[in-house]
Amino acid sequence: MKNIFYTLSCLLFISTSKPSFSQYSHTREMLIKEKLRESCSRKANIHLNYSSTELPVSSTISYKDLMYKSAQSHGVQLYGLYTNEISLQTNYKISEFTIENNSCFFISDITFNVKIAPNIFIANEAAQFPCMRQKVYEHEMNHHKYFMDALNAENANLQRDIKEKFDYIPVKYHHSDVPQITQFVQDNVSRIQNNFVNKINNRKAPYDKNLDDPRNTAREQQACQNELFHLQRLYQR
């Protein structure tokens, strides 16, 4: 009898430990959620490219137009101007992972294209004099050099900012819709671009300031004294 009782009690124990249907469903649901979290937390493939237009040199506008373009006040004798436009454009792919009618979204690939468009302007009054034209061109090319040096120096910071935002999208977006993820991308790209441009401008600002110091420009133009006299008369008209 002892043996029989023992066997029955074991059988009873085993049968009562079987999971109920609700327990099975809950476990299955948890497994699905874990699979979704794991699948949509995968790292994005990030690419960063740079491109630049040719550096055009224009001498078709007057010094007054240059002052307007540079927001300089009247009375400043502006012979040249350097400008550069930076844009950060993106192409990306939003992918969807589905399991048993449950799905989540993630960014599988994203490419950043940094495009720069530099320009050098020489006032057409100054361009009439060979020596002055050359000195103004050299001066503006130094501004271009400072810009490119700052751009290259900030490249590592740009890569870091991109990785921080786009290596993995926040979990809260995994179950969003595509427009919400698109908005997330656009907002963060705008912040990254503004931060990138500000850092470049701050890095090159001291060099630009020293280059444009009146004492330095006077030294630059010293070899063109004869032309400078006639050029200043044109500016006084």
Side-chain angles (χ1 to χ4, degrees):
M1 288 297 291
K2 289 184 178 179
N3 288 338
I4 294 174
F5 177 78
Y6 179 77
T7 303
L8 289 173
S9 64
C10 286
L11 288 173
L12 181 61
F13 177 78
I14 292 172
S15 62
T16 55
S17 66
K18 285 182 63 178
S20 66
F21 178 77
S22 61
Q23 289 175 319
Y24 174 81
S25 298
H26 177 71
T27 302
R28 184 62 183 164
E29 183 181 333
M30 294 299 294
L31 289 173
I32 289 174
K33 286 183 177 179
E34 179 62 24
K35 185 63 176 178
L36 289 171
R37 187 197 63 78
E38 178 185 320
S39 298
C40 285
S41 296
R42 56 183 85 176
K43 198 172 183 179
N45 295 315
I46 298 175
H47 308 279
L48 176 60
N49 304 316
Y50 286 85
S51 64
S52 174
T53 60
E54 293 294 326
L55 177 55
V57 180
S58 172
S59 57
T60 60
I61 62 177
S62 69
Y63 79 93
K64 291 181 180 179
D65 291 331
L66 281 188
M67 287 194 294
Y68 178 79
K69 184 181 285 291
S70 66
Q72 292 280 358
S73 61
H74 289 287
V76 176
Q77 291 186 333
L78 193 63
Y79 303 127
L81 178 67
Y82 173 77
T83 66
N84 205 319
E85 296 179 2
I86 311 176
S87 64
L88 184 60
Q89 301 176 358
T90 57
N91 297 307
Y92 55 92
K93 179 182 178 183
I94 299 175
S95 298
E96 181 179 10
F97 176 80
T98 302
I99 178 173
E100 295 187 15
N101 296 322
N102 294 275
S103 62
C104 60
F105 297 94
F106 60 98
I107 298 173
S108 53
D109 294 275
I110 185 164
T111 299
F112 293 83
N113 296 302
V114 179
K115 296 189 175 183
I116 61 174
N119 288 277
I120 287 178
F121 299 93
I122 300 175
N124 58 18
E125 295 87 351
Q128 299 174 33
F129 302 94
C131 180
M132 279 300 298
R133 180 185 176 90
Q134 182 61 29
K135 291 300 179 183
V136 172
Y137 172 76
E138 292 173 359
H139 178 95
E140 303 308 332
M141 281 299 295
N142 279 328
H143 281 303
H144 179 60
K145 178 184 181 301
Y146 299 151
F147 171 84
M148 294 304 298
D149 288 347
L151 178 77
N152 293 330
E154 287 299 329
N155 178 61
N157 290 329
L158 176 61
Q159 291 186 40
R160 183 201 62 210
D161 290 346
I162 289 173
K163 285 177 65 66
E164 285 181 356
K165 290 297 182 183
F166 293 105
D167 253 2
Y168 306 94
I169 67 170
V171 174
K172 68 177 182 178
Y173 290 102
H174 288 176
H175 302 288
S176 302
D177 53 21
V178 171
Q180 286 180 304
I181 298 177
T182 299
Q183 191 63 52
F184 164 80
V185 172
Q186 292 173 348
D187 290 346
N188 281 284
V189 167
S190 179
R191 293 189 190 98
I192 289 172
Q193 175 173 310
N194 291 338
N195 189 43
F196 183 50
V197 171
N198 288 337
K199 285 184 176 180
I200 289 174
N201 288 335
N202 291 338
R203 185 179 286 272
K204 72 185 185 67
Y207 302 97
D208 287 336
K209 183 178 180 180
N210 289 336
L211 185 65
D212 289 333
D213 186 283
R215 291 167 295 183
N216 181 64
T217 56
R219 285 192 295 269
E220 291 177 341
Q221 298 163 8
Q222 197 167 20
C224 308
Q225 286 302 312
N226 291 336
E227 293 181 355
L228 194 58
F229 172 77
H230 296 291
L231 178 58
Q232 289 174 342
R233 293 185 64 181
L234 287 177
Y235 272 50
Q236 293 167 2
R237 290 180 180 178

